[in-house]
Amino acid sequence: MTTDATTKPTVRPSSLPVKPRIYSGIQPTGRPHLGNDLGAIRNYVALQDRYEAIYCIVDYHALTHVHDPEVLRRQTLEMAAALIALGLDPKRCTVFVQSDRPEVTELCWLFNTVTPVGWLQRTPTYKEKRANQPEDVNHGLLTYPVLQAADIALPKASLVPIGKDQAPHLELSREIVRAFNARYGETFPEPQAVYTEAPVVLGTDGQRKMSKSIGNTIEILAEPDVIRKQVMSMVTDTQRILRTDPGRPQVCNVCQLHRHFGKDYEEIWDGERAARTGCVDTKKLLVERIIAHYAPARAMYSELLADPAHLRAILNEGAERIRPIAEATMTEVRERMGLR
Ligand code: TYM
């Protein structure tokens, strides 16, 4: 686990929680992929005992691109089941759904008033989304990072476990909080990113980050046959044409992923370099390891989804647990802004 070296320590406002608070959000994309787990969820799990940890399924954010209410509802529950199956323990951390704590939308509006439009227009994800969905450049896409800043600020979180793709958003959150503090007095900590050993996981194409919208994912909780097909389709070292050509593990995504599924990855890399093993052998080994590693989580995921009422109860309890935190922040913010 590493914290972002580019961010500097910040002043601690007197109204801050004594124990540092961790917050992170994840979109309700249904079953998470390997990039979500290696880049973020592993840290959510690792940090839940060391800090007061709050994790949110951000369904308001998803409305900027998912428009089928039934799909959104189903995928929200699926993500909740996945997070718990992958190791979040609702007794040791808080898991809730964003729209169950609507105070965040009020804080988002208030943050909008300290956020210059230029900052939002320059956000890489906004430019990317505008290009990818030109027929639906809704205002939510522009203000998406402001809502993200409000997510983090509502519980006054100071640490945010995320993958590297979220770094520009986190930087913007820091700037928004700084702008608020400068105008209305020290209220929020400037949050710092926390990264795993795998802050950027490439997709099966070996080129772009793993992402559901690109369609280059390995769905860790899918049926073994789906995982097998996805891993076997991975692009390896494109310069290794013949089985007898030496492999280059440093540029092969399959070899890189082996780092996270066994201590013997150096031996696997040596086998590739000496052409003792071929790309197919290395992929087959990776398939078996991924399937075995996630087998207990896959079983628990199915069990949890079979009892949606129980899942909903966990999420309701999470939202209730942070109600006093959210209400206290909003009371303070309204007061500072002259709204009372
Ligand atoms: P989302 O839902 O796209 O991703 C959830 C988490 O998974 C990480 N991640 C990756 N890490 C490494 N390699 C990859 N290929 C990869 N793909 C995804 C993401 O970095 C993220 O940590 N905007 C956020 C959700 C959000 C949020 C927040 C996050 C809303 N509010 C407040 C932190 C704090 C998003 O869309 O993540």
Side-chain angles (χ1 to χ4, degrees):
M1 179 195 89
T2 53
T3 47
D4 193 346
T6 60
T7 56
K8 54 181 174 14
T10 55
V11 182
R12 172 165 289 270
S14 54
S15 56
L16 276 193
V18 180
K19 195 175 173 187
R21 230 171 239 157
I22 290 258
Y23 176 97
S24 201
I26 189 162
Q27 294 219 34
T29 46
R31 294 190 294 218
H33 55 71
L34 189 59
N36 293 136
D37 188 39
L38 298 183
I41 299 171
R42 279 190 179 187
N43 255 356
Y44 300 175
V45 175
L47 298 170
Q48 65 185 335
D49 287 322
R50 304 226 317 254
Y51 299 96
E52 184 184 341
I54 301 170
Y55 300 115
C56 181
I57 301 163
V58 294
D59 54 350
Y60 282 146
H61 280 99
L63 288 172
T64 56
H65 57 93
V66 181
H67 303 303
D68 183 329
E70 280 318 308
V71 170
L72 184 57
R73 245 188 293 276
R74 175 172 53 77
Q75 293 193 339
T76 300
L77 268 196
E78 285 173 355
M79 185 53 82
L83 291 176
I84 295 167
L86 287 167
L88 291 192
D89 177 355
K91 291 199 181 67
R92 285 142 68 207
C93 68
T94 299
V95 187
F96 77 108
V97 177
Q98 191 181 30
S99 62
D100 284 342
R101 259 311 24 104
E103 291 88 348
V104 78
T105 55
E106 181 186 356
L107 188 57
C108 176
W109 170 254
L110 302 177
F111 276 0
N112 275 328
T113 65
V114 298
T115 308
V117 177
W119 290 0
L120 303 175
Q121 285 166 331
R122 280 195 295 275
T123 312
T125 41
Y126 172 64
K127 292 187 192 161
E128 199 182 294
K129 291 262 169 70
R130 209 176 44 183
N132 290 348
Q133 52 184 74
E135 72 297 339
D136 183 19
V137 186
N138 58 78
H139 184 251
L141 284 180
L142 187 66
T143 205
Y144 183 109
V146 187
L147 181 58
Q148 184 153 339
D151 282 335
I152 298 166
L154 190 67
K156 299 196 175 187
S158 46
L159 295 172
V160 185
I162 42 171
K164 212 60 193 219
D165 61 308
Q166 294 297 315
H169 282 162
L170 209 263
E171 195 42 47
L172 208 50
S173 294
R174 292 168 57 78
E175 282 170 6
I176 292 170
V177 157
R178 220 177 284 148
F180 183 95
N181 288 346
R183 196 173 293 176
Y184 296 106
E186 283 296 323
T187 310
F188 299 108
E190 287 180 28
Q192 292 199 24
V194 185
Y195 296 117
T196 66
E197 301 302 314
V200 182
V201 177
L202 296 181
T204 49
D205 53 5
Q207 294 200 328
R208 290 169 297 173
K209 74 157 190 173
M210 187 175 287
S211 161
K212 201 160 182 176
S213 58
I214 300 173
N216 61 356
T217 58
I218 297 170
E219 286 179 80
I220 49 182
L221 300 183
E223 301 67 34
D225 278 349
V226 174
I227 297 178
R228 192 165 289 117
K229 208 165 147 202
Q230 290 171 335
V231 174
M232 293 313 288
S233 77
M234 283 178 77
V235 174
T236 52
D237 174 2
T238 48
Q239 282 181 28
R240 191 176 185 198
I241 312 293
L242 300 173
R243 166 71 175 75
T244 49
D245 289 342
R248 297 178 305 155
Q250 69 279 13
V251 297
C252 170
N253 193 21
V254 176
C255 288
Q256 291 303 316
L257 288 185
H258 267 292
R259 278 173 181 272
H260 309 288
F261 294 96
K263 291 197 170 70
D264 58 349
Y265 66 89
E266 303 260 16
E267 285 163 41
I268 295 169
W269 291 10
D270 284 344
E272 287 272 308
R273 284 194 197 97
R276 279 195 305 277
T277 48
C279 295
V280 172
D281 305 319
T282 313
K283 280 188 201 181
K284 280 186 179 159
L285 187 59
L286 185 63
V287 168
E288 295 321 317
R289 289 187 175 186
I290 291 179
I291 291 173
H293 180 85
Y294 290 107
R298 200 172 307 119
M300 190 171 174
Y301 175 70
S302 304
E303 267 172 43
L304 284 163
L305 275 183
D307 189 354
H310 174 59
L311 267 179
R312 277 197 203 94
I314 291 173
L315 296 171
N316 291 346
E317 199 190 315
E320 279 309 306
R321 209 182 295 162
I322 63 155
R323 178 197 288 274
I325 296 172
E327 287 179 348
T329 300
M330 291 319 298
T331 302
E332 182 184 355
V333 167
R334 288 185 206 118
E335 216 162 86
R336 284 184 184 274
M337 295 183 85
L339 296 169
R340 284 282 160 83

